[in-house]
Amino acid sequence: MKKISFFNWEIEIDESLFTIVDKDERKMAIMENSFELNAVIWMNSNDEIQVKPTWDCVFSVNEKKRIISIRHADYLREN
């Protein structure tokens, strides 16, 4: 898993995914190498993290540690 810092959260993503971050808009897009969108994460005006997943990914949230893990849905079939 790759680890990316996103404001006061840590985002863990599968090795096959990459991110595009717009710090001014406080948004992160998570994509596959085929440029398939997996998720969009953003901070709203109240500093609450917002997540819009696509149908083909799995999110795990550890609020205490402030970590969001994102895996391709194939992870469920393999484990």
mmCIF file of all heavy atoms in Angstrom, residues 36-70:
data_model
loop_
_atom_site.group_PDB
_atom_site.id
_atom_site.type_symbol
_atom_site.label_atom_id
_atom_site.label_comp_id
_atom_site.label_asym_id
_atom_site.label_seq_id
_atom_site.Cartn_x
_atom_site.Cartn_y
_atom_site.Cartn_z
ATOM 1 N N GLU A 36 -9.068 5.014 -14.944
ATOM 2 C CA GLU A 36 -10.412 4.758 -14.435
ATOM 3 C C GLU A 36 -10.513 5.368 -13.046
ATOM 4 O O GLU A 36 -9.704 5.078 -12.169
ATOM 5 C CB GLU A 36 -10.679 3.259 -14.358
ATOM 6 C CG GLU A 36 -12.069 2.945 -13.875
ATOM 7 C CD GLU A 36 -12.349 1.455 -13.851
ATOM 8 O OE1 GLU A 36 -11.794 0.722 -14.671
ATOM 9 O OE2 GLU A 36 -13.132 1.052 -12.990
ATOM 10 N N LEU A 37 -11.498 6.216 -12.856
ATOM 11 C CA LEU A 37 -11.685 6.877 -11.568
ATOM 12 C C LEU A 37 -12.131 5.869 -10.517
ATOM 13 O O LEU A 37 -13.043 5.084 -10.751
ATOM 14 C CB LEU A 37 -12.724 7.993 -11.692
ATOM 15 C CG LEU A 37 -12.992 8.807 -10.429
ATOM 16 C CD1 LEU A 37 -11.754 9.616 -10.043
ATOM 17 C CD2 LEU A 37 -14.179 9.728 -10.641
ATOM 18 N N ASN A 38 -11.474 5.867 -9.353
ATOM 19 C CA ASN A 38 -11.841 4.980 -8.250
ATOM 20 C C ASN A 38 -12.525 5.739 -7.127
ATOM 21 O O ASN A 38 -13.359 5.173 -6.438
ATOM 22 C CB ASN A 38 -10.605 4.272 -7.694
ATOM 23 C CG ASN A 38 -10.264 3.057 -8.509
ATOM 24 O OD1 ASN A 38 -10.651 1.965 -8.178
ATOM 25 N ND2 ASN A 38 -9.575 3.269 -9.613
ATOM 26 N N ALA A 39 -12.149 6.992 -6.924
ATOM 27 C CA ALA A 39 -12.755 7.744 -5.825
ATOM 28 C C ALA A 39 -12.359 9.213 -5.911
ATOM 29 O O ALA A 39 -11.366 9.566 -6.519
ATOM 30 C CB ALA A 39 -12.305 7.185 -4.487
ATOM 31 N N VAL A 40 -13.160 10.042 -5.245
ATOM 32 C CA VAL A 40 -12.817 11.442 -5.025
ATOM 33 C C VAL A 40 -12.969 11.679 -3.528
ATOM 34 O O VAL A 40 -13.950 11.256 -2.917
ATOM 35 C CB VAL A 40 -13.731 12.402 -5.815
ATOM 36 C CG1 VAL A 40 -13.396 13.844 -5.488
ATOM 37 C CG2 VAL A 40 -13.623 12.146 -7.306
ATOM 38 N N ILE A 41 -11.972 12.325 -2.941
ATOM 39 C CA ILE A 41 -11.984 12.663 -1.517
ATOM 40 C C ILE A 41 -11.791 14.164 -1.419
ATOM 41 O O ILE A 41 -10.966 14.730 -2.137
ATOM 42 C CB ILE A 41 -10.847 11.938 -0.767
ATOM 43 C CG1 ILE A 41 -11.032 10.422 -0.871
ATOM 44 C CG2 ILE A 41 -10.781 12.385 0.692
ATOM 45 C CD1 ILE A 41 -9.881 9.632 -0.291
ATOM 46 N N TRP A 42 -12.541 14.819 -0.530
ATOM 47 C CA TRP A 42 -12.364 16.259 -0.358
ATOM 48 C C TRP A 42 -12.666 16.662 1.069
ATOM 49 O O TRP A 42 -13.298 15.941 1.818
ATOM 50 C CB TRP A 42 -13.199 17.049 -1.359
ATOM 51 C CG TRP A 42 -14.676 16.970 -1.172
ATOM 52 C CD1 TRP A 42 -15.460 17.874 -0.508
ATOM 53 C CD2 TRP A 42 -15.566 15.959 -1.654
ATOM 54 N NE1 TRP A 42 -16.778 17.476 -0.537
ATOM 55 C CE2 TRP A 42 -16.868 16.295 -1.238
ATOM 56 C CE3 TRP A 42 -15.382 14.787 -2.388
ATOM 57 C CZ2 TRP A 42 -17.968 15.520 -1.539
ATOM 58 C CZ3 TRP A 42 -16.486 14.013 -2.675
ATOM 59 C CH2 TRP A 42 -17.757 14.384 -2.269
ATOM 60 N N MET A 43 -12.176 17.827 1.434
ATOM 61 C CA MET A 43 -12.453 18.427 2.742
ATOM 62 C C MET A 43 -13.498 19.505 2.523
ATOM 63 O O MET A 43 -13.314 20.395 1.699
ATOM 64 C CB MET A 43 -11.183 19.051 3.331
ATOM 65 C CG MET A 43 -10.059 18.066 3.574
ATOM 66 S SD MET A 43 -10.423 16.840 4.826
ATOM 67 C CE MET A 43 -10.395 17.834 6.303
ATOM 68 N N ASN A 44 -14.599 19.448 3.277
ATOM 69 C CA ASN A 44 -15.618 20.471 3.120
ATOM 70 C C ASN A 44 -15.263 21.707 3.952
ATOM 71 O O ASN A 44 -14.221 21.756 4.608
ATOM 72 C CB ASN A 44 -17.023 19.921 3.440
ATOM 73 C CG ASN A 44 -17.228 19.601 4.905
ATOM 74 O OD1 ASN A 44 -16.464 20.002 5.785
ATOM 75 N ND2 ASN A 44 -18.291 18.866 5.182
ATOM 76 N N SER A 45 -16.121 22.684 3.925
ATOM 77 C CA SER A 45 -15.827 23.952 4.614
ATOM 78 C C SER A 45 -15.784 23.809 6.137
ATOM 79 O O SER A 45 -15.278 24.685 6.829
ATOM 80 C CB SER A 45 -16.855 25.015 4.223
ATOM 81 O OG SER A 45 -18.156 24.565 4.536
ATOM 82 N N ASN A 46 -16.305 22.700 6.665
ATOM 83 C CA ASN A 46 -16.248 22.437 8.105
ATOM 84 C C ASN A 46 -15.082 21.515 8.473
ATOM 85 O O ASN A 46 -15.054 20.963 9.571
ATOM 86 C CB ASN A 46 -17.561 21.804 8.574
ATOM 87 C CG ASN A 46 -18.730 22.734 8.433
ATOM 88 O OD1 ASN A 46 -18.612 23.927 8.663
ATOM 89 N ND2 ASN A 46 -19.864 22.198 8.018
ATOM 90 N N ASP A 47 -14.140 21.331 7.542
ATOM 91 C CA ASP A 47 -12.989 20.437 7.721
ATOM 92 C C ASP A 47 -13.401 18.994 7.992
ATOM 93 O O ASP A 47 -12.735 18.266 8.711
ATOM 94 C CB ASP A 47 -12.041 20.943 8.814
ATOM 95 C CG ASP A 47 -11.221 22.131 8.346
ATOM 96 O OD1 ASP A 47 -10.961 22.229 7.123
ATOM 97 O OD2 ASP A 47 -10.837 22.947 9.187
ATOM 98 N N GLU A 48 -14.514 18.578 7.401
ATOM 99 C CA GLU A 48 -14.945 17.189 7.467
ATOM 100 C C GLU A 48 -14.543 16.520 6.159
ATOM 101 O O GLU A 48 -14.727 17.083 5.082
ATOM 102 C CB GLU A 48 -16.460 17.099 7.630
ATOM 103 C CG GLU A 48 -16.956 17.732 8.914
ATOM 104 C CD GLU A 48 -18.453 17.920 8.926
ATOM 105 O OE1 GLU A 48 -19.061 18.139 7.860
ATOM 106 O OE2 GLU A 48 -19.012 17.858 10.026
ATOM 107 N N ILE A 49 -13.993 15.314 6.267
ATOM 108 C CA ILE A 49 -13.582 14.613 5.059
ATOM 109 C C ILE A 49 -14.813 14.002 4.393
ATOM 110 O O ILE A 49 -15.707 13.482 5.068
ATOM 111 C CB ILE A 49 -12.496 13.565 5.361
ATOM 112 C CG1 ILE A 49 -11.796 13.165 4.080
ATOM 113 C CG2 ILE A 49 -13.063 12.381 6.110
ATOM 114 C CD1 ILE A 49 -10.413 12.639 4.273
ATOM 115 N N GLN A 50 -14.883 14.135 3.087
ATOM 116 C CA GLN A 50 -15.995 13.617 2.298
ATOM 117 C C GLN A 50 -15.415 12.611 1.304
ATOM 118 O O GLN A 50 -14.340 12.827 0.756
ATOM 119 C CB GLN A 50 -16.671 14.756 1.530
ATOM 120 C CG GLN A 50 -17.115 15.906 2.400
ATOM 121 C CD GLN A 50 -18.320 15.534 3.224
ATOM 122 O OE1 GLN A 50 -19.355 15.158 2.707
ATOM 123 N NE2 GLN A 50 -18.184 15.612 4.537
ATOM 124 N N VAL A 51 -16.130 11.522 1.053
ATOM 125 C CA VAL A 51 -15.642 10.476 0.167
ATOM 126 C C VAL A 51 -16.728 10.111 -0.836
ATOM 127 O O VAL A 51 -17.878 9.875 -0.456
ATOM 128 C CB VAL A 51 -15.245 9.214 0.961
ATOM 129 C CG1 VAL A 51 -14.773 8.121 0.034
ATOM 130 C CG2 VAL A 51 -14.184 9.539 2.001
ATOM 131 N N LYS A 52 -16.364 10.068 -2.115
ATOM 132 C CA LYS A 52 -17.271 9.602 -3.169
ATOM 133 C C LYS A 52 -16.576 8.449 -3.873
ATOM 134 O O LYS A 52 -15.757 8.632 -4.745
ATOM 135 C CB LYS A 52 -17.570 10.736 -4.152
ATOM 136 C CG LYS A 52 -18.330 10.308 -5.407
ATOM 137 C CD LYS A 52 -19.679 9.711 -5.092
ATOM 138 C CE LYS A 52 -20.466 9.387 -6.334
ATOM 139 N NZ LYS A 52 -20.482 7.977 -6.658
ATOM 140 N N PRO A 53 -16.857 7.192 -3.437
ATOM 141 C CA PRO A 53 -16.236 6.037 -4.088
ATOM 142 C C PRO A 53 -16.956 5.674 -5.384
ATOM 143 O O PRO A 53 -18.092 6.081 -5.610
ATOM 144 C CB PRO A 53 -16.401 4.923 -3.055
ATOM 145 C CG PRO A 53 -17.638 5.308 -2.315
ATOM 146 C CD PRO A 53 -17.668 6.820 -2.298
ATOM 147 N N THR A 54 -16.285 4.897 -6.210
ATOM 148 C CA THR A 54 -16.949 4.313 -7.367
ATOM 149 C C THR A 54 -17.373 2.909 -6.992
ATOM 150 O O THR A 54 -17.126 2.443 -5.886
ATOM 151 C CB THR A 54 -16.015 4.281 -8.597
ATOM 152 O OG1 THR A 54 -14.919 3.421 -8.301
ATOM 153 C CG2 THR A 54 -15.518 5.675 -8.939
ATOM 154 N N TRP A 55 -17.958 2.215 -7.887
ATOM 155 C CA TRP A 55 -18.518 0.896 -7.605
ATOM 156 C C TRP A 55 -17.452 -0.176 -7.455
ATOM 157 O O TRP A 55 -17.736 -1.272 -6.977
ATOM 158 C CB TRP A 55 -19.485 0.501 -8.703
ATOM 159 C CG TRP A 55 -18.829 0.438 -10.053
ATOM 160 C CD1 TRP A 55 -18.635 1.477 -10.913
ATOM 161 C CD2 TRP A 55 -18.254 -0.704 -10.676
ATOM 162 N NE1 TRP A 55 -17.980 1.060 -12.030
ATOM 163 C CE2 TRP A 55 -17.725 -0.284 -11.919
ATOM 164 C CE3 TRP A 55 -18.127 -2.040 -10.308
ATOM 165 C CZ2 TRP A 55 -17.087 -1.154 -12.786
ATOM 166 C CZ3 TRP A 55 -17.486 -2.906 -11.180
ATOM 167 C CH2 TRP A 55 -16.974 -2.461 -12.401
ATOM 168 N N ASP A 56 -16.209 0.093 -7.824
ATOM 169 C CA ASP A 56 -15.209 -0.966 -7.884
ATOM 170 C C ASP A 56 -14.090 -0.817 -6.856
ATOM 171 O O ASP A 56 -12.967 -1.238 -7.103
ATOM 172 C CB ASP A 56 -14.617 -1.010 -9.288
ATOM 173 C CG ASP A 56 -14.250 -2.415 -9.711
ATOM 174 O OD1 ASP A 56 -14.717 -3.360 -9.064
ATOM 175 O OD2 ASP A 56 -13.498 -2.561 -10.679
ATOM 176 N N CYS A 57 -14.369 -0.192 -5.707
ATOM 177 C CA CYS A 57 -13.340 -0.060 -4.685
ATOM 178 C C CYS A 57 -13.926 -0.239 -3.292
ATOM 179 O O CYS A 57 -15.128 -0.121 -3.093
ATOM 180 C CB CYS A 57 -12.603 1.268 -4.806
ATOM 181 S SG CYS A 57 -13.620 2.718 -4.631
ATOM 182 N N VAL A 58 -13.036 -0.562 -2.359
ATOM 183 C CA VAL A 58 -13.428 -0.819 -0.976
ATOM 184 C C VAL A 58 -12.691 0.174 -0.082
ATOM 185 O O VAL A 58 -11.470 0.330 -0.202
ATOM 186 C CB VAL A 58 -13.063 -2.261 -0.563
ATOM 187 C CG1 VAL A 58 -13.391 -2.496 0.892
ATOM 188 C CG2 VAL A 58 -13.756 -3.262 -1.463
ATOM 189 N N PHE A 59 -13.423 0.842 0.796
ATOM 190 C CA PHE A 59 -12.845 1.805 1.729
ATOM 191 C C PHE A 59 -12.869 1.241 3.136
ATOM 192 O O PHE A 59 -13.858 0.649 3.545
ATOM 193 C CB PHE A 59 -13.659 3.111 1.742
ATOM 194 C CG PHE A 59 -13.387 4.013 0.601
ATOM 195 C CD1 PHE A 59 -13.856 3.710 -0.661
ATOM 196 C CD2 PHE A 59 -12.661 5.178 0.781
ATOM 197 C CE1 PHE A 59 -13.613 4.543 -1.725
ATOM 198 C CE2 PHE A 59 -12.413 6.017 -0.275
ATOM 199 C CZ PHE A 59 -12.892 5.702 -1.526
ATOM 200 N N SER A 60 -11.782 1.462 3.865
ATOM 201 C CA SER A 60 -11.741 1.174 5.301
ATOM 202 C C SER A 60 -11.342 2.471 5.989
ATOM 203 O O SER A 60 -10.403 3.137 5.559
ATOM 204 C CB SER A 60 -10.705 0.102 5.622
ATOM 205 O OG SER A 60 -10.991 -1.084 4.941
ATOM 206 N N VAL A 61 -12.049 2.836 7.049
ATOM 207 C CA VAL A 61 -11.772 4.090 7.747
ATOM 208 C C VAL A 61 -11.415 3.784 9.196
ATOM 209 O O VAL A 61 -12.158 3.118 9.901
ATOM 210 C CB VAL A 61 -12.992 5.038 7.704
ATOM 211 C CG1 VAL A 61 -12.704 6.319 8.470
ATOM 212 C CG2 VAL A 61 -13.393 5.333 6.266
ATOM 213 N N ASN A 62 -10.249 4.278 9.611
ATOM 214 C CA ASN A 62 -9.826 4.203 11.003
ATOM 215 C C ASN A 62 -9.837 5.638 11.517
ATOM 216 O O ASN A 62 -8.868 6.377 11.346
ATOM 217 C CB ASN A 62 -8.436 3.581 11.125
ATOM 218 C CG ASN A 62 -8.016 3.413 12.561
ATOM 219 O OD1 ASN A 62 -8.364 4.213 13.424
ATOM 220 N ND2 ASN A 62 -7.244 2.371 12.812
ATOM 221 N N GLU A 63 -10.966 6.034 12.099
ATOM 222 C CA GLU A 63 -11.129 7.423 12.538
ATOM 223 C C GLU A 63 -10.146 7.787 13.644
ATOM 224 O O GLU A 63 -9.628 8.903 13.676
ATOM 225 C CB GLU A 63 -12.561 7.663 13.006
ATOM 226 C CG GLU A 63 -12.841 9.110 13.325
ATOM 227 C CD GLU A 63 -14.278 9.339 13.726
ATOM 228 O OE1 GLU A 63 -15.079 8.399 13.758
ATOM 229 O OE2 GLU A 63 -14.607 10.504 14.022
ATOM 230 N N LYS A 64 -9.884 6.842 14.526
ATOM 231 C CA LYS A 64 -8.980 7.112 15.637
ATOM 232 C C LYS A 64 -7.570 7.474 15.140
ATOM 233 O O LYS A 64 -6.968 8.423 15.618
ATOM 234 C CB LYS A 64 -8.891 5.892 16.561
ATOM 235 C CG LYS A 64 -8.156 6.155 17.856
ATOM 236 C CD LYS A 64 -8.085 4.907 18.734
ATOM 237 C CE LYS A 64 -9.456 4.636 19.315
ATOM 238 N NZ LYS A 64 -9.475 3.498 20.253
ATOM 239 N N LYS A 65 -7.077 6.726 14.148
ATOM 240 C CA LYS A 65 -5.738 6.988 13.596
ATOM 241 C C LYS A 65 -5.782 7.949 12.415
ATOM 242 O O LYS A 65 -4.747 8.335 11.886
ATOM 243 C CB LYS A 65 -5.079 5.682 13.169
ATOM 244 C CG LYS A 65 -4.737 4.783 14.324
ATOM 245 C CD LYS A 65 -4.011 3.548 13.825
ATOM 246 C CE LYS A 65 -3.614 2.642 14.957
ATOM 247 N NZ LYS A 65 -2.921 1.435 14.470
ATOM 248 N N ARG A 66 -6.998 8.290 11.953
ATOM 249 C CA ARG A 66 -7.205 9.190 10.822
ATOM 250 C C ARG A 66 -6.581 8.618 9.543
ATOM 251 O O ARG A 66 -5.847 9.286 8.842
ATOM 252 C CB ARG A 66 -6.712 10.592 11.126
ATOM 253 C CG ARG A 66 -7.416 11.203 12.342
ATOM 254 C CD ARG A 66 -7.018 12.616 12.607
ATOM 255 N NE ARG A 66 -7.680 13.567 11.752
ATOM 256 C CZ ARG A 66 -8.930 14.005 11.880
ATOM 257 N NH1 ARG A 66 -9.680 13.534 12.834
ATOM 258 N NH2 ARG A 66 -9.425 14.891 11.072
ATOM 259 N N ILE A 67 -6.901 7.346 9.289
ATOM 260 C CA ILE A 67 -6.396 6.658 8.103
ATOM 261 C C ILE A 67 -7.578 6.131 7.291
ATOM 262 O O ILE A 67 -8.476 5.503 7.833
ATOM 263 C CB ILE A 67 -5.474 5.471 8.484
ATOM 264 C CG1 ILE A 67 -4.246 5.967 9.237
ATOM 265 C CG2 ILE A 67 -5.065 4.689 7.237
ATOM 266 C CD1 ILE A 67 -3.385 4.841 9.796
ATOM 267 N N ILE A 68 -7.532 6.397 5.994
ATOM 268 C CA ILE A 68 -8.496 5.831 5.064
ATOM 269 C C ILE A 68 -7.716 4.925 4.130
ATOM 270 O O ILE A 68 -6.749 5.363 3.501
ATOM 271 C CB ILE A 68 -9.226 6.920 4.265
ATOM 272 C CG1 ILE A 68 -10.047 7.805 5.212
ATOM 273 C CG2 ILE A 68 -10.104 6.300 3.184
ATOM 274 C CD1 ILE A 68 -10.682 8.999 4.542
ATOM 275 N N SER A 69 -8.125 3.665 4.039
ATOM 276 C CA SER A 69 -7.484 2.713 3.133
ATOM 277 C C SER A 69 -8.428 2.436 1.974
ATOM 278 O O SER A 69 -9.625 2.233 2.170
ATOM 279 C CB SER A 69 -7.162 1.396 3.848
ATOM 280 O OG SER A 69 -6.271 1.628 4.913
ATOM 281 N N ILE A 70 -7.857 2.437 0.769
ATOM 282 C CA ILE A 70 -8.651 2.233 -0.441
ATOM 283 C C ILE A 70 -8.033 1.078 -1.212
ATOM 284 O O ILE A 70 -6.850 1.096 -1.532
ATOM 285 C CB ILE A 70 -8.680 3.502 -1.307
ATOM 286 C CG1 ILE A 70 -9.233 4.666 -0.482
ATOM 287 C CG2 ILE A 70 -9.494 3.271 -2.577
ATOM 288 C CD1 ILE A 70 -8.992 6.010 -1.088
#
